[in-house]
Amino acid sequence: MGMERGVTAVLACLVLGGCLSAAGAPAAGRGEVPAAPLDAPVAPGPDASTGRVVADCGRNEEEHYNEDNLVVSPGVRAGAHHTHAYVGNLSTSAASTDATLAAAGTSCRDGDRSTYYWPVLRRTDRPGREAYERAAGHHGNAGRILREAAVTVEFRGNPVSKVVAMPRFLRGITGDAVAHTAADASRVRAAWGCASLPGLATVRYPRCPGGDRITRTLVFPSCWNGLDTAAPDHRSHLTFPTGNGACAPGTFPVPALRLSLVYGPVPPGTPLALDSFPEQRHSPRTDHAMFVNVMGPAAMDRVVDCINTGRTCRGSADSSGSG
């Protein structure tokens, strides 16, 4: 076993660009975030909510792209200055309202009208062919958009307690779109990896072996203040759990959203660029994502029940699941 662990560490060091093993990672330099296991090893307690809900919302076959950011810049067309890809709600734009979101169609097979979106990933050695690929070019975002080979929308529980329902139209954001120029790394949540090394992640673009696939994992905060669906800073109403998995006093655990994106295979050495603000220089550390929950009360109640009873369910419409 010791030899297997050593081989894994060396392989991760070469592929992910950071010496990483299942046991942990070396100390980071000043202002750096080390490569590390994707999930902190928090053992579930007696009141843990261990279920999960996995939804099929497609992989943006509809080619829903724009430069808007409904969560951060509502009403501002092209306010993101870079291109976002979407699954879920088919109408999402800067002009969206709660009412238009609730009335729109969706790519999710379970009928979930929530919107989930993230900045696109490009290969810069090939030009963009479609209008949506060229739309953010004047902000320095150019090249062929890599289409996701798979997208998983998943909700998990809390290792310390049961979860409560998210309110409808709750907004959430994960990651730091200005991480390259930020004074500290406290908001960095980038988690890049290779499909052949599941559970291991880095803040760098991974160097995956030939035939392997690039992964991005975007984990959202899951401690709600019990009052607001949004906040002026877009974050203080929905925060991350503490190191032991518990929510801070005055906040309540809600289903923890996780988006898992898969690309490729991408030939080794392919130049990659995450869409970003110009001054962020396409840093992989700036990876981020947003969502707006549009599930109705009955659907959200099924999600909560599935998670709290330790089952695995296929989408918010599944009331049976497996134990």
Side-chain angles (χ1 to χ4, degrees):
M1 176 164 303
M3 181 173 291
E4 292 177 356
R5 182 173 295 176
V7 171
T8 300
V10 171
L11 181 59
C13 191
L14 293 174
V15 174
L16 298 182
C19 293
L20 168 64
S21 72
R30 182 177 180 183
E32 292 295 319
V33 176
L38 181 57
D39 295 302
V42 178
D47 296 320
S49 43
T50 58
R52 55 198 290 262
V53 174
V54 182
D56 179 3
C57 293
R59 49 189 180 87
N60 195 23
E61 292 92 341
E62 301 79 12
E63 298 185 349
H64 184 181
Y65 299 100
N66 59 44
E67 298 171 74
D68 299 347
N69 192 333
L70 176 62
V71 170
V72 177
S73 304
V76 181
R77 185 176 179 276
H81 297 174
H82 53 263
T83 300
H84 288 131
Y86 294 78
V87 296
N89 199 288
L90 296 175
S91 72
T92 312
S93 72
S96 295
T97 64
D98 291 353
T100 63
L101 291 174
T106 179
S107 68
C108 297
R109 295 184 64 181
D110 63 357
D112 176 17
R113 292 184 173 86
S114 302
T115 182
Y116 309 97
Y117 60 102
W118 53 87
V120 299
L121 179 65
R122 302 176 189 259
R123 55 181 301 173
T124 58
D125 60 342
R126 294 185 179 179
R129 296 172 296 187
E130 307 295 336
Y132 60 76
E133 292 181 296
R134 302 190 297 271
H138 55 293
H139 293 297
N141 295 295
R144 182 78 52 83
I145 290 177
L146 291 176
R147 300 288 298 271
E148 289 79 10
V151 176
T152 301
V153 177
E154 180 181 1
F155 293 91
R156 296 188 179 186
N158 182 281
V160 176
S161 63
K162 306 301 184 187
V163 298
V164 301
M166 284 183 184
R168 200 175 194 196
F169 306 118
L170 178 69
R171 271 83 166 147
I173 183 170
T174 186
D176 188 357
V178 297
H180 184 67
T181 56
D184 62 66
S186 60
R187 290 180 172 175
V188 172
R189 297 285 171 175
W192 300 81
C194 301
S196 63
L197 292 170
L200 304 181
T202 177
V203 296
R204 303 174 177 91
Y205 292 124
R207 298 190 294 271
C208 298
D212 203 355
R213 297 188 173 199
I214 294 171
T215 64
R216 292 164 68 185
T217 305
L218 298 150
V219 179
F220 284 80
S222 55
C223 297
W224 175 48
N225 70 1
L227 298 171
D228 305 304
T229 56
D233 66 356
H234 316 297
R235 297 177 186 268
S236 56
H237 66 300
L238 189 65
T239 57
F240 283 94
T242 61
N244 66 359
C247 286
T251 65
F252 306 90
V254 295
L257 171 63
R258 168 182 299 229
L259 301 178
S260 300
L261 315 179
V262 180
Y263 301 87
V266 178
T270 299
L272 302 176
L274 183 70
D275 262 30
S276 71
F277 296 112
E279 68 277 7
Q280 301 305 312
R281 302 172 65 88
H282 311 292
S283 169
R285 295 162 59 95
T286 64
D287 204 6
H288 59 283
M290 284 68 56
F291 82 97
V292 180
N293 172 48
V294 192
M295 286 189 205
M300 178 54 66
D301 285 347
R302 286 191 292 269
V303 169
V304 168
D305 183 67
C306 181
I307 292 172
N308 284 344
T309 55
R311 294 177 289 131
T312 297
C313 301
R314 300 297 302 180
S316 61
D318 185 358
S319 58
S320 56
S322 59

